[in-house]
Amino acid sequence: MNTWMENLLLLTFVAYGLASVAFAVAVVGRKRRSGEENHVRRWGKAGIVLSIAGAAIQVMFIISRFFVGGRSIASSMFEFTAFLAFALVLAFILIYYLYRTPTLGAFVLPLAVILLAYASVFPKEVRPLIPALQSYWLHIHVTMAALGEGAFAVGFIAGLIYLIRVVGSQRNTAHARYLELTLVLLVLFVGYILVSFLFAGLGYEAAIQHPVNGETNLQEYSLPPLIGPAGGEVVKMDPFLGLDRPLFEAPSWMKGEKAASKLNTVFWSLIAGLILYGLFRALFRKRISEFLHPLVKNLDPEMVDEIAYRAIAIGFPIFTLGGLVFASIWAHYAWGRFWGWDPKEVWALITWLFYSAYLHLRLSRGWIGLKSSWMAVGGFVILMFNLIAINLVFAGLHSYA
């Protein structure tokens, strides 16, 4: 069964990858052919068919994993991130049939591929749930929250496309600089994935023991430990550039058994991502936004802005139910209270308040275009901070994820 699930996940990855290529060909090749409309329609159709096929295969993966584990299929970082990729594609398919815009697919499907690759970095074993997670409210809470976030992610992509379309060709403006910074953050994300696969392929291992609350804790590393725990002692460390101990120690205020290794992961993301960005600039001699601008310059900005709004309007009530209402009910069953100040809970509330402000400002204050698009992008940054930093760096009740 494990081999069956691995094959299904691989097929999903391939289908989303091929869909990305099909949508990209539809966008890039339109200027080079006389039958532009037929070219876009043909490759756009291929892209959406592959997207639906990938989503269908991932449904089989989700069902298979559910029957193997007999529990929620979004109870670990691997499961939740993989399901988030599915939710993103599902929301995109719905939006695509409303607007028929292959350019949207050329940006959404690569993000789905990146999310699946990121999920694959984490352990894939089906593990027993801790007692706090053994509730059917968990299934409802996590599934609904991920579906809402998938729609938010489509809104992010549409907002990003709008910004690339409107300010991507500008130089030395605040909007252009902030747009490039946003794209660099995505590159950092990709950099972490690549470096994780690199050292996993090399079989790198390291372990450092250190005191936690008066007891000795063994902290394992899958990336070379440039940052180690305070007061740590190296137990095992595979060779890497002649290092036999970490270069730095994690701050003493960072608590938790794996705090140092999580900070080390963030540090490696910065290193790998900045190297990737430097290589891109050296190769193309353009900012990323300048490079992407020709792909979207023929799009109608008002339509793209409307897509972002509609995606977020769809996702907001779903996230409200999953991320707040059902989450509170589950918290009551799991911990005996509807609300605490756990970092994950706080950031879920921040996310909800942010998107509430987005809808209020757009509908009541007329925030459309640039302002609306920046908020769509900012909302997704908050989501990613919640998914990555809160789960991997800060200790809390949700650290089991």
Side-chain angles (χ1 to χ4, degrees):
M1 179 60 78
N2 288 336
T3 302
W4 165 253
M5 288 191 296
E6 288 179 3
N7 290 336
L8 288 175
L9 191 64
L10 178 60
L11 287 174
T12 302
F13 186 87
V14 171
Y16 290 164
L18 291 176
S20 302
V21 173
F23 283 125
V25 171
V27 175
V28 174
R30 68 171 62 184
K31 298 183 297 183
R32 303 177 182 177
R33 295 174 177 267
S34 56
E36 175 182 327
E37 185 176 343
N38 290 333
H39 171 78
V40 173
R41 184 186 300 114
R42 181 169 62 253
W43 284 100
K45 183 177 181 180
I48 193 63
V49 168
L50 286 166
S51 300
I52 294 172
I57 295 170
Q58 193 167 0
V59 167
M60 290 190 287
F61 167 79
I62 291 169
I63 293 173
S64 299
R65 193 169 179 92
F66 177 81
F67 280 113
V68 169
R71 58 170 177 78
S72 170
I73 44 74
S75 303
S76 66
M77 276 295 287
F78 164 71
E79 292 172 341
F80 182 84
T81 309
F83 189 79
L84 180 59
F86 169 74
L88 168 63
V89 175
L90 195 64
F92 161 71
I93 292 171
L94 173 63
I95 295 295
Y96 181 85
Y97 280 107
L98 293 175
Y99 292 94
R100 306 279 181 172
T101 307
T103 305
L104 185 66
F107 285 80
V108 168
L109 269 298
L111 179 59
V113 170
I114 291 171
L115 287 173
L116 272 185
Y118 177 63
S120 300
V121 168
F122 298 97
K124 303 178 184 64
E125 296 83 5
V126 180
R127 299 175 180 176
L129 293 179
I130 63 175
L133 298 180
Q134 295 173 6
S135 167
Y136 62 86
W137 284 110
L138 172 69
H139 306 265
I140 303 172
H141 152 53
V142 177
T143 301
M144 294 287 285
L147 290 173
E149 291 178 7
F152 288 160
V154 173
F156 155 72
I157 290 294
L160 189 64
I161 291 174
Y162 182 96
L163 293 172
I164 295 171
R165 165 67 176 80
V166 175
V167 304
S169 60
Q170 297 177 4
R171 288 179 175 271
N172 301 322
T173 66
H175 286 297
R177 287 192 293 270
Y178 290 137
L179 174 59
E180 191 67 9
L181 176 61
T182 302
L183 294 170
V184 169
L185 291 177
L186 288 175
V187 173
L188 297 182
F189 191 37
V190 174
Y192 164 67
I193 295 169
L194 292 178
V195 78
S196 296
F197 278 117
L198 172 63
F199 283 104
L202 295 174
Y204 185 88
E205 292 182 348
I208 301 175
Q209 64 181 14
H210 63 106
V212 176
N213 299 325
E215 299 181 358
T216 300
N217 176 64
L218 185 65
Q219 194 162 161
E220 297 180 342
Y221 287 76
S222 57
L223 298 174
L226 302 179
I227 299 177
E233 179 182 347
V234 175
V235 176
K236 177 182 181 181
M237 187 169 173
D238 289 346
F240 177 73
L241 300 180
L243 296 177
D244 58 359
R245 65 183 63 255
L247 295 176
F248 312 100
E249 284 191 352
S252 58
W253 55 264
M254 289 193 67
K255 306 297 183 181
E257 297 180 355
K258 299 181 180 180
S261 64
K262 292 174 180 179
L263 182 60
N264 186 67
T265 296
V266 174
F267 192 62
W268 268 107
S269 301
L270 289 172
I271 294 173
L274 291 176
I275 290 174
L276 277 180
Y277 182 69
L279 291 173
F280 179 90
R281 292 297 298 267
L283 181 61
F284 295 102
R285 299 185 180 278
K286 292 181 179 180
R287 291 179 287 110
I288 300 176
S289 55
E290 286 182 295
F291 178 81
L292 295 174
H293 180 259
L295 303 180
V296 302
K297 66 180 182 179
N298 294 323
L299 288 178
D300 177 9
E302 292 184 3
M303 181 193 69
V304 178
D305 186 44
E306 182 184 331
I307 291 174
Y309 163 67
R310 182 163 292 193
I312 291 172
I314 291 171
F316 183 75
I318 301 174
F319 181 81
T320 299
L321 289 173
L324 292 181
V325 178
F326 296 143
S328 298
I329 296 173
W330 169 51
H332 176 68
Y333 276 90
W335 299 300
R337 84 290 188 280
F338 288 100
W339 177 263
W341 292 99
D342 181 71
K344 192 78 172 179
E345 296 174 350
V346 171
W347 279 91
L349 178 61
I350 291 173
T351 302
W352 183 84
L353 290 173
F354 187 91
Y355 281 108
S356 298
Y358 169 91
L359 293 173
H360 169 73
L361 291 171
R362 184 180 178 96
L363 297 175
S364 301
R365 299 298 180 89
W367 278 35
I368 60 174
L370 274 178
K371 292 180 179 179
S372 177
S373 296
W374 274 121
M375 290 199 72
V377 170
F380 188 74
V381 172
I382 293 173
L383 280 178
M384 288 296 99
F385 183 82
N386 196 359
L387 175 65
I388 300 171
I390 298 300
N391 275 359
L392 299 184
V393 177
F394 296 92
L397 292 173
H398 292 76
S399 296
Y400 50 75

